Amino acid sequence: MTIDPNHLRLLTVVPAVLLGVAAVVATVWLAAHLVRYLLADAEIRPAIRVGWRIRSTWRRTAMRVGLVQTERVRPPLWSSRPQTVVVRRELVPAVRVRARRWGVEVDAATVGRLGLVEFQNAAGHLADAWRVPQVRVAQVRPGLVRLRALLIDPLTQPTTWGGQTATGDHLETWSAGVDADSQPVTIRSSGVSGVVVAGLAGFGKTSLLNARFCQLAPSPAVQFVLIDGKGGPDYDDLFRRAWLSAKDDPEQVRDHLARVHELMTGRQRCIRSVLGVKNVWHLGLSASWPLVVVVIDEAHTFFNESKGTDAESKKRDAVARQTTRLVEELVRKGRNVGIQVILATQKATGDAIPTKIRDNCQVAVSFAQRTSEAATAVLGSDITGFPDEHPRRLQDPAYIGVASMVAAGRPGFTLVRTPYVSDEAADRIAADTAGLVRDPLRLLADAARADRPGGQDREGGGSFRQEHPAALPAISPPTSGEEPRR
Ligand SMILES: Nc1ncnc2c1ncn2[C@@H]1O[C@H](COP(=O)(O)OP(=O)(O)OP(=O)(O)O)[C@@H](O)[C@H]1O
């Protein structure tokens, strides 16, 4: 048999052309990557190199660290093997690799039983294989897990407070800072009566409280009660913007809290007739019915019950018990009338903050903690399922100002870089807004008077009703349900 020379030429030319095309594609691909690398700034180049390594070795690495799903299937239709044979197939999660300024972002598709937990378990091995200090894992959405091979941890980059002005939004949500992707993180504030902020000394609690103060102080719809258990000068200048203020004098603190409690019971009595709702958050806070934020820094100072039997110890013990009861009631019953207690403490274990107070707080924030017990005391036992967000990981000084928390609209826990707010910035805002201080008890008395039949302001509507156009007239029949009015 002779071979047609034309066919012979075809047999050699086609592979040569295919090879040539493949070589051109590979060269263009390499050149594109090289150009991208050369054009990238020096900061991102190490991440690009690590990204190349991750992409080119992914299949092998995944198999070595156990991120592979094995299944038994029939051979594909085009296979030469008979369809009766069962073959083993190894499935490795598909990945998309992108270089970022802080490292490499690897989006991996989940496969079978390979999900968030399996990736989290393999994170240490992946960090070794990729030669990076740390790999963090989070579920972005069902079916997609994001691995972050960190060359620099973005959370270690400090930020400072930008001086945003107060808006109604700040009353409803608390801007806490940014996450590891620089995305803003907020904490729920609407309908919250208790917040616990805990963490080792010097890790940013006071700065976080300063930030909250700066967000809220410019609003006439907020009045503060500031209590500084440290007794130092930290809050001296902020006191100008406070309705009530105290340092570490237990009796004065107890008396202030008793006045807030009086406000709470007064508001509970007349909220329905004055506002026409059972929950002020449904209507919105205002200058005449302001949110009362009670900040108690070093809160554990005031809950310490004395064991001594001498008269002085007994007196101190009685004050501590009264303070505990007042705070407990404010947290338990203050939600619907716009009273919010923020407790800051180094340790939130039951011996420092009574559990009947701590466990009723809807929001918890934890800076670095030395023990799991301390972290669980603040954030609850769920935190043990989030090793990456565990406050024990934050003990390095680079994480001063980073806290773990349950953020609004996000599943699980989130690590947040809170902005640093200098005392000077907070003091300036306190001085500029000192004129907004009002006595909420007096405001309540005015509102109740205006509301009473025959009250002076009744016919004209009064300042209270002008500020609350949504409030029901006092003569409206009681509503059966509690409807949001905005
Ligand atoms: N968000 C932050 N970013 C950067 N640095 C911060 C931040 N917060 C605090 N710091 C630094 O840490 C120091 C201590 O912060 P802060 O007083 O807020 O800690 P603390 O937890 O309240 O301590 P303590 O329990 O002793 O009151 C600050 O003076 C500042 O230098």
Side-chain angles (χ1 to χ4, degrees), residues 319-337:
V319 174
R321 283 172 196 276
Q322 287 163 343
T323 304
T324 303
R325 189 183 55 77
L326 288 165
V327 173
E328 188 215 335
E329 291 213 353
L330 290 175
V331 170
R332 202 154 42 82
K333 301 182 187 166
R335 186 182 67 86
N336 66 318
V337 291

Side-chain angles (χ1 to χ4, degrees), residues 84-377:
T84 46
V85 180
V86 175
V87 293
R88 262 165 60 100
R89 190 166 63 157
E90 281 167 338
L91 298 171
V92 167
V95 290
R96 182 169 171 205
V97 180
R98 274 166 298 191
R100 298 278 187 236
R101 216 155 275 280
W102 41 260
V104 183
E105 188 175 272
V106 182
D107 282 347
T110 58
V111 178
R113 296 170 67 90
L114 296 177
L116 177 67
V117 173
E118 289 67 29
F119 279 95
Q120 274 172 342
N121 292 341
H125 301 306
L126 289 173
D128 290 336
W130 294 341
R131 311 257 187 283
V132 295
Q134 198 180 32
V135 172
R136 293 231 187 104
V137 185
Q139 180 106 35
V140 182
R141 57 180 151 83
L144 190 75
V145 170
R146 178 161 294 165
L147 312 175
R148 297 151 49 82
L150 301 177
L151 296 178
I152 328 160
D153 187 345
L155 290 169
T156 60
Q157 311 297 305
T159 57
T160 47
W161 186 66
Q164 306 91 336
T165 50
T167 63
D169 289 351
H170 277 132
L171 304 193
E172 311 255 322
T173 57
W174 174 340
S175 303
V178 290
D179 66 7
D181 295 324
S182 302
Q183 295 306 306
V185 180
T186 55
I187 308 174
R188 183 164 74 97
S189 170
S190 167
V192 168
S193 59
V195 179
V196 179
V197 179
L200 294 174
F203 270 80
K205 296 184 294 296
T206 306
S207 174
L208 180 77
L209 298 181
N210 274 352
R212 185 59 177 152
F213 176 85
C214 292
Q215 281 168 22
L216 294 178
S219 169
V222 181
Q223 295 299 332
F224 293 95
V225 177
L226 300 178
I227 296 169
D228 178 16
K230 218 186 275 174
D234 284 5
Y235 283 80
D236 282 359
D237 293 310
L238 306 195
F239 284 172
R240 282 178 283 187
R241 175 62 177 92
W243 164 43
L244 301 170
S245 57
K247 291 199 179 185
D248 55 352
D249 174 350
E251 285 176 40
Q252 190 185 18
V253 169
R254 189 253 340 253
D255 294 345
H256 284 349
L257 292 171
R259 285 189 76 189
V260 182
H261 191 272
E262 185 192 336
L263 173 72
M264 181 184 77
T265 48
R267 280 185 172 187
Q268 291 290 10
R269 259 198 312 276
C270 65
I271 184 169
R272 189 74 185 276
S273 62
V274 172
L275 294 183
V277 290
K278 295 183 208 162
N279 186 343
V280 66
W281 291 102
H282 291 171
L283 197 61
L285 282 306
S286 70
S288 53
W289 191 293
L291 172 67
V292 175
V293 180
V294 183
V295 177
I296 312 181
D297 203 350
E298 306 291 340
H300 52 272
T301 319
F302 304 106
F303 304 127
N304 262 339
E305 290 171 10
S306 310
K307 299 279 175 262
T309 50
D310 57 295
E312 184 55 29
S313 299
K314 281 185 180 163
K315 193 172 142 206
R316 262 188 288 138
D317 189 55
V319 174
R321 283 172 196 276
Q322 287 163 343
T323 304
T324 303
R325 189 183 55 77
L326 288 165
V327 173
E328 188 215 335
E329 291 213 353
L330 290 175
V331 170
R332 202 154 42 82
K333 301 182 187 166
R335 186 182 67 86
N336 66 318
V337 291
I339 292 176
Q340 193 172 83
V341 182
I342 304 178
L343 303 163
T345 178
Q346 287 172 11
K347 222 167 106 202
T349 42
D351 53 331
I353 304 287
T355 51
K356 57 190 170 187
I357 296 176
R358 185 194 72 198
D359 296 347
N360 275 322
C361 291
Q362 302 92 336
V363 172
V365 173
S366 178
F367 288 89
Q369 298 282 1
R370 209 178 299 291
T371 64
S372 286
E373 187 209 0
T376 306

